[in-house]
DNA sequence: CGCTCGATATTCT
DNA sequence: GAATATCGAGCGA
């Protein structure tokens, strides 16, 4: 038995996968101080990135040393270093007629290992521990060492498990991009209290 | 609260 | 040389 969405789940249009990932669980089995700890959180914010049809995507110009995972098997971790400061984690996903694609995981509701995640982050507030793409990689001890890992197997040190689908999901423009800013490829669970205040939907 | 700015890898122009 | 799928410190109001 595998509790994880399989490759079929990720072999769909990237935006569909990004929407479906809201409510699933990101699980990290980290080796810290000689002990294996299980850290996890519910995914509440994602963004889809495509191929040459998507001017905002790392894959828009074709493969490079950094983005290779976006062109490989689906369901793998694409971890990259951004602004010389932070890691971001994606899972590769695309329909069968596309050449590249990935879904950026942007925010989590912490579930397991909250105290450890706080320590890794240097914070004490669960609202601040994983409420952004750079924050959640630090909270879950995700670095380029995890690039390429198969996220469809519960045996992996970094994987995604099935969760409870959100009651409603909202689509918005993606954050921090300038090209294709009109495309609604960011998905959030608007009922989550763990979205950062800045990204909170105004009613 | 909101704004500016530094950090500085990777890629593109 | 410039831009970028970010974050937090420092500052002023």
């Amino acid at each position: 038995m595998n509790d994880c969405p399989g490759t079929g789940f990720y072999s769909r249009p990237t935006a569909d996968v990004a929407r479906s990932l809201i409510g699933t669980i990101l699980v990290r089995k980290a080796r810290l101080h000689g002990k294996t700890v299980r850290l996890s959180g519910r995914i509440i914010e994602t963004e889809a990135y495509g191929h040459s049809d998507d001017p905002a995507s790392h894959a828009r110009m074709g493969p490079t040393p950094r983005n290779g995972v976006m062109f490989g098997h689906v369901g793998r971790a694409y971890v990259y270093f951004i602004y010389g400061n932070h890691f971001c984690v994606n899972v590769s996903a695309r329909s069968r007629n596309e050449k590249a694609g990935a879904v950026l995981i942007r925010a989590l509701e912490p579930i397991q290992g909250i105290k450890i995640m706080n320590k890794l982050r240097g914070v004490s507030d669960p609202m601040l521990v994983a409420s952004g793409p750079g924050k959640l990689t630090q909270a879950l001890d995700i670095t380029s060492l995890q690039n390429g890992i198969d996220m469809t197997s519960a045996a992996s040190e970094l994987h995604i498990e099935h969760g409870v689908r959100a009651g409603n999901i909202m689509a918005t423009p993606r954050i921090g991009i300038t090209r294709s800013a009109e495309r609604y490829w960011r998905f959030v669970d608007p009922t989550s209290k763990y979205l950062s205040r800045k990204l909170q939907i105004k009613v």
Side-chain angles (χ1 to χ4, degrees):
Chain A
M1 282 286 281
N2 195 340
D3 232 13
C4 306
T7 53
F9 178 93
Y10 298 102
S11 300
R12 295 183 289 146
T14 311
D16 292 353
V17 176
R19 178 184 290 271
S20 299
L21 281 171
I22 299 296
T24 61
I25 313 298
L26 182 63
V27 179
R28 168 83 169 114
K29 290 180 285 186
R31 192 84 181 155
L32 298 173
H33 314 303
K35 292 181 180 177
T36 300
V37 296
R38 184 182 170 98
L39 310 172
S40 70
R42 179 174 179 270
I43 296 173
I44 57 172
E45 180 182 359
T46 61
E47 284 177 1
Y49 287 90
H51 181 213
S52 47
D53 62 322
D54 181 8
S57 173
H58 286 172
R60 69 187 181 279
M61 305 295 288
T64 68
R66 177 175 69 169
N67 69 15
V69 173
M70 292 184 75
F71 292 82
H73 298 287
V74 298
R76 304 294 174 96
Y78 168 40
V79 183
Y80 67 89
F81 200 43
I82 189 69
Y83 292 111
N85 278 273
H86 306 281
F87 292 99
C88 292
V89 62
N90 303 242
V91 54
S92 57
R94 62 182 181 277
S95 60
R96 303 197 189 272
N97 60 333
E98 289 288 335
K99 289 190 167 51
V103 176
L104 173 66
I105 300 171
R106 287 193 57 91
L108 305 176
E109 276 182 19
I111 299 175
Q112 293 173 302
I114 297 178
K115 289 170 77 172
I116 295 168
M117 292 193 278
N118 276 336
K119 187 155 192 171
L120 285 166
R121 284 268 301 127
V123 302
S124 55
D125 182 352
M127 294 291 294
L128 303 176
V129 80
S131 55
K135 299 179 194 177
L136 72 91
T137 53
Q138 189 178 23
L140 271 57
D141 191 36
I142 296 168
T143 70
S144 50
L145 292 176
Q146 280 73 48
N147 192 46
I149 283 179
D150 180 5
M151 298 182 80
T152 68
S153 167
S156 293
E157 62 180 287
L158 181 64
H159 65 267
I160 290 172
E161 298 184 355
H162 288 290
V164 179
R165 192 182 163 83
N168 69 70
I169 294 170
M170 184 167 288
T172 83
R174 292 171 289 183
I175 302 294
I177 55 122
T178 54
R179 308 167 203 238
S180 287
E182 77 293 347
R183 195 175 295 191
Y184 278 40
W185 272 10
R186 170 176 175 254
F187 301 93
V188 301
D189 175 355
T191 68
S192 175
K193 296 171 183 172
Y194 287 85
L195 291 173
S196 67
R197 187 174 285 269
K198 181 179 164 190
L199 307 181
Q200 209 61 268
I201 310 299
K202 292 167 189 158
V203 181

